[in-house]
Amino acid sequence: VPALPHPQPVQYKNVIVLDPAHGGTDAGASISATTPEKALTLAFAAKLRSLLAAQGFSVVVTRDSDPGDALPSDQRAGVANHARPLACLVLHFTADGGGVHLATSSLTPSDASASRFAVRWATAQAGMVTQSLALSHDLSEALDAAHLPAVEMRASVPPLDNMICPAVAVEIAPHKVKDGQPTAVTDGAYQQSVAQAIVAALTNYRTEVFPASASPASAATPEDER
Amino acid sequence: MIPRYQRILLWTLVCGCTLLALFLIRGCHQAHKRLTALNDATPIAAPVSATNELVALYVANDADATITPTEARVPLPQDPPLRARALLNYLLAQYSQENSAHPLKSGPAVDDVFLLAKPKKAGSEKSDAGDAEGGKVAVVNLNGAFASNHPSGIECETLTVMSMIGTLHAAMPEVTEIRFLVEGEQRETLAGHSDLTRAYKAVDTSHTR
């Protein structure tokens, strides 16, 4: 009798999905006269990817170039859901506001185990809102520790609501300092500080979710082994 | 010398022409009366100045991503859809003022607000949709220029949407769900970020952070 295939794990502890928002015909916000948001999100994802890899994370990105057409939000959610990651970060930039905005789904939290057979696509994130809020809190603390102001909020931003993993939209806005010129989001040092804080938060979050983890190896470990 | 029968024929023709002319003139008068009777003679209602009412505006602040209820006196009409439209336009006009904590460009923002009975849920035994759910759906039709000129960003767009939801909820408690259109059509996002395809619950948005 052939052996049954191993069931797929619920979550891989070392996998992170990065979704550089916009792309293709969807340029996103106009950060400056020559810089569209889609270019910044892609460059920031590359920067974050290398920092995460150094911490033993395996990174899946929804796009690693500027496609000809806009990537549908359902397709982005599909990539994230298929990867079964520890967390998914949707990356955005804006020229308005200040600090780093951390948005989690505005869906009402529900018990993920309540849906035994199927999850509704439109409200897939509902079962993960609690974990997403915990991830957002870790990100906020890490940014505060790096002296970067962070604002946590609930929002309905595609494709957050369709994801079945802890997911947070990270929107980087200019760094405003009292009685001084704000630092633009295109500033390399500012981006590096934010990226390092995000990596620290994800490392901390991994330890919280998998407290017994001893090795940072990128092996896929099922959540059941916690 | 004109023969007698020709004179009789001539006078007969003259009388016939006269009668025909009189008949045509009378017909014209009757047609004119009939056409003028079709005109709408309803008197135009005299303009009534709306009274100032105390309402709660849910005002957004970009600095800390909060929505704060503030009271204001706003002239509002009595008709609910017009009232909702006037209220939202007033709210959004505040954001175009100098020193606004949530700056938006000035201009018309809300074209229409439609109030509909909430659709009946599948399996509901009640026949009337509105009664089954006990509320109304407000469909806010945003102006295309407003959406196009809106600053692009998660925080900014979310605060605009939450501000409108909170203000509508406070002014019209019968509204339980709010949907958004742009120029009469469904649009994925307001300015690239905040989802406009979903239905939002009408709730107090000052606590949603």
Side-chain angles (χ1 to χ4, degrees):
Chain A
V1 179
L4 289 170
H6 289 292
Q8 281 192 302
V10 175
Q11 199 175 26
Y12 290 98
K13 74 169 186 181
N14 289 321
V15 176
I16 301 291
V17 170
L18 297 180
D19 177 26
H22 310 290
T25 52
D26 174 16
S30 183
I31 305 298
S32 70
T34 54
T35 312
E37 185 185 358
K38 66 174 183 177
L40 283 179
T41 57
L42 189 61
F44 186 73
K47 194 175 286 185
L48 199 52
R49 185 180 195 169
S50 58
L51 289 173
L52 285 168
Q55 289 296 316
F57 285 106
S58 178
V59 179
V60 176
V61 289
T62 56
R63 68 180 179 100
D64 53 10
S65 63
D66 192 18
D69 295 322
L71 203 60
S73 66
D74 285 353
Q75 197 175 328
R76 294 172 189 270
V79 170
N81 294 342
H82 184 73
R84 297 168 184 270
L86 174 72
C88 177
L89 299 183
V90 182
L91 306 173
H92 285 272
F93 279 80
T94 182
D96 299 292
V100 181
H101 309 140
L102 304 168
T104 46
S105 171
S106 59
L107 292 172
T108 307
S110 69
D111 183 8
S113 60
S115 302
R116 292 174 56 197
F117 302 107
V119 176
R120 288 186 64 193
W121 181 255
T123 56
Q125 176 65 194
M128 280 287 161
V129 168
T130 310
Q131 290 92 323
S132 297
L133 287 169
L135 173 61
S136 173
H137 186 65
D138 282 358
L139 286 164
S140 177
E141 282 189 342
L143 288 162
D144 281 343
H147 306 292
L148 298 167
V151 175
E152 288 185 80
M153 60 190 301
R154 306 286 297 276
S156 186
V157 181
L160 284 185
D161 290 353
N162 310 122
M163 290 178 171
I164 54 170
C165 57
V168 176
V170 179
E171 183 179 65
I172 302 170
H175 184 201
K176 290 180 177 171
V177 286
K178 208 173 183 181
D179 304 328
Q181 283 290 322
T183 308
V185 292
T186 49
D187 185 273
Y190 176 43
Q191 287 187 12
Q192 187 71 17
S193 304
V194 175
Q196 284 172 344
I198 290 173
V199 173
L202 288 171
T203 308
N204 184 45
Y205 181 71
R206 178 173 60 183
T207 311
E208 285 175 6
V209 177
F210 297 99
S213 85
S215 138
S218 58
T221 306
E223 189 185 35
D224 302 343
E225 289 179 17
R226 276 191 293 174
Chain B
M1 182 73 183
I2 300 171
R4 188 176 176 201
Y5 77 93
Q6 283 185 344
R7 277 187 291 176
I8 293 171
L9 184 63
L10 176 68
W11 285 112
T12 305
L13 286 171
V14 169
C15 288
C17 287
T18 307
L19 284 172
L20 193 60
L22 289 172
F23 178 77
L24 285 174
I25 290 167
R26 186 169 178 274
C28 283
H29 278 292
Q30 284 181 335
H32 184 255
K33 281 182 183 175
R34 202 164 49 243
L35 288 172
T36 51
L38 289 176
N39 287 345
D40 187 6
T42 308
I44 298 168
V48 178
S49 57
T51 53
N52 279 341
E53 293 183 36
L54 193 65
V55 290
L57 299 177
Y58 278 58
V59 181
N61 187 337
D62 287 351
D64 50 5
T66 54
I67 303 277
T68 310
T70 53
E71 290 188 336
R73 288 205 167 271
V74 185
L76 292 175
Q78 292 302 311
D79 186 42
L82 296 178
R83 183 183 179 82
R85 188 182 71 174
L87 182 63
L88 292 182
N89 272 321
Y90 182 86
L91 168 74
L92 297 171
Q94 304 307 304
Y95 293 133
S96 62
Q97 290 185 356
E98 208 175 343
N99 299 326
S100 165
H102 178 66
L104 299 180
K105 286 191 177 173
S106 61
V110 177
D111 284 343
D112 312 281
V113 177
F114 305 101
L115 297 177
L116 313 170
K118 202 169 179 182
K120 188 174 74 171
K121 272 187 182 172
S124 173
E125 291 179 358
K126 294 193 177 183
S127 58
D128 183 81
D131 289 343
E133 294 297 324
K136 288 184 175 176
V137 180
V139 181
V140 179
N141 183 25
L142 298 171
N143 187 279
F146 170 76
S148 302
N149 294 325
H150 194 284
S152 183
I154 295 174
E155 186 199 44
C156 188
E157 292 175 42
T158 301
L159 287 177
T160 298
V161 171
M162 291 298 125
S163 173
M164 285 193 279
I165 291 173
T167 303
L168 262 186
H169 169 68
M172 309 180 92
E174 70 272 21
V175 173
T176 55
E177 191 177 295
I178 299 167
R179 289 176 178 272
F180 293 93
L181 301 174
V182 177
E183 290 286 322
E185 293 181 357
Q186 196 175 58
R187 184 152 142 170
E188 279 195 16
T189 57
L190 177 56
H193 299 88
S194 194
D195 191 357
L196 290 191
T197 59
R198 59 168 289 193
Y200 287 89
K201 278 184 185 173
V203 290
D204 182 347
T205 51
S206 62
H207 306 297
T208 53
R209 185 181 158 188

